[in-house]
């Protein structure tokens, strides 16, 4: 099943409709009340991320799959104008964007900077970009960041102050706790954020 595609903007346009579309998906898939609330919460967190993006953001939101494998999707084109490009660079300092705090803030940073193109963005963002790699899976992305890959890499790192901070962010994040996987992928001048959740069993 694929829901209607909802246009969402960071001025709040489409946010309520996106959450409502998620609830309709949950109802159609006959999710329990608790499952539907969790899916709604993930949708609210995703649309909340949109509100914090710099400049004039215009993206597309939809839900696809079934109760065994739900994907909340947010996609936008890499067509950042020069004014927004300058604004993005201004909030980046010393290779680390201090405006992006916590898991969702840094996830917004990855999504946002990828809109400039991965090659340009990686020069300025730092942080979670350390966990973004060439896609060697079947997702078909040119570059991809994955929550599962980040967790795996953190588990194999020495316990530095930075890795401890990143673990703390994951543990405190609603999305990182509830989602089975979160990915940000770049392909053909499009950036797609996907939050995955399964309710099987």
């Amino acid at each position: 099943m694929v829901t209607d595609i909802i246009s969402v903007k960071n001025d709040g346009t489409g946010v309520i409709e996106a959450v409502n579309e998620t609830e309709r998906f949950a109802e159609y898939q006959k999710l329990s009340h608790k499952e539907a609330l969790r899916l709604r919460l993930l949708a609210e967190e995703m649309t909340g991320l949109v509100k914090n993006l710099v400049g004039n953001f215009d993206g597309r939101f939809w839900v696809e799959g079934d109760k065994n494998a739900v994907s909340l999707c947010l996609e936008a084109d890499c067509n950042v104008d020069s004014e927004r490009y300058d604004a993005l660079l201004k909030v980046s300092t010393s290779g680390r964007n201090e405006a992006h705090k916590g898991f969702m803030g840094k996830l917004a940073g990855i999504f946002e900077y990828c809109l400039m193109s991965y090659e340009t963005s990686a020069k300025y963002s730092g942080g979670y970009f350390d966990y973004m790699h060439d896609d060697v899976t079947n997702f078909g992305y040119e570059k991809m960041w994955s929550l599962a890959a980040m967790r795996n890499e953190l588990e194999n790192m020495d316990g530095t102050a930075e890795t401890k901070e990143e673990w703390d962010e994951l543990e405190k994040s609603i999305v990182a706790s509830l989602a089975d996987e979160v990915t940000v992928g770049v392909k053909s001048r499009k950036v797609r954020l996907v939050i995955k959740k399964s309710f099987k069993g």
Side-chain angles (χ1 to χ4, degrees):
M1 174 185 179
V2 180
T3 67
D4 291 343
I5 296 175
I6 308 298
S7 176
V8 291
K9 301 182 180 181
N10 55 350
D11 64 0
T13 300
V15 168
I16 293 175
E17 290 83 355
V19 174
N20 289 343
E21 196 68 17
T22 304
E23 290 185 329
R24 280 193 285 272
F25 176 93
E27 183 178 356
Y28 186 85
Q29 293 296 323
K30 295 181 170 54
L31 297 184
S32 69
H33 179 67
K34 183 178 181 180
E35 291 170 339
L37 283 177
R38 287 183 175 179
L39 195 62
R40 178 191 170 98
L41 187 55
L42 289 172
E44 288 175 342
E45 288 287 314
M46 180 180 264
T47 53
L49 175 150
V50 170
K51 294 179 183 178
N52 294 320
L53 297 176
V54 174
N56 297 316
F57 174 79
D58 191 353
R60 301 169 291 278
F61 172 92
W62 71 94
V63 186
E64 63 183 35
D66 55 36
K67 68 184 302 180
N68 296 319
V70 185
S71 293
L72 303 177
C73 304
L74 176 67
E75 184 180 78
D77 300 321
C78 300
N79 59 352
V80 177
D81 58 35
S82 59
E83 182 178 347
R84 185 172 178 211
Y85 181 90
D86 291 340
L88 287 170
L89 295 190
K90 284 179 182 177
V91 297
S92 178
T93 59
S94 303
R96 181 178 179 128
N97 183 355
E98 298 299 338
H100 294 135
K101 300 291 187 180
F103 175 74
M104 289 305 287
K106 290 179 180 177
L107 191 61
I110 292 174
F111 187 87
E112 192 165 58
Y113 283 116
C114 283
L115 291 173
M116 293 192 292
S117 85
Y118 176 78
E119 289 74 16
T120 301
S121 62
K123 297 177 185 177
Y124 297 96
S125 56
Y128 283 12
F129 255 97
D130 292 340
Y131 307 102
M132 193 164 193
H133 305 289
D134 294 333
D135 184 20
V136 294
T137 68
N138 295 319
F139 288 99
Y141 295 124
E142 296 154 18
K143 299 285 182 178
M144 191 179 81
W145 178 92
S146 160
L147 174 60
M150 178 180 172
R151 278 191 172 129
N152 183 59
E153 291 190 39
L154 285 174
E155 287 174 354
N156 294 298
M157 288 182 178
D158 294 331
T160 64
E162 185 175 358
T163 57
K164 185 179 184 303
E165 177 185 347
E166 289 170 345
W167 268 120
D168 289 344
E169 288 172 351
L170 295 185
E171 290 174 354
K172 293 174 182 177
S173 167
I174 293 172
V175 171
S177 298
L178 288 181
D180 296 327
E181 172 67 298
V182 180
T183 60
V184 180
V186 182
K187 180 181 180 182
S188 302
R189 297 197 59 76
K190 294 184 187 296
V191 182
R192 182 178 295 180
L193 166 64
V194 181
I195 297 177
K196 298 181 179 182
K197 180 67 178 175
S198 172
F199 296 104
K200 61 183 177 181

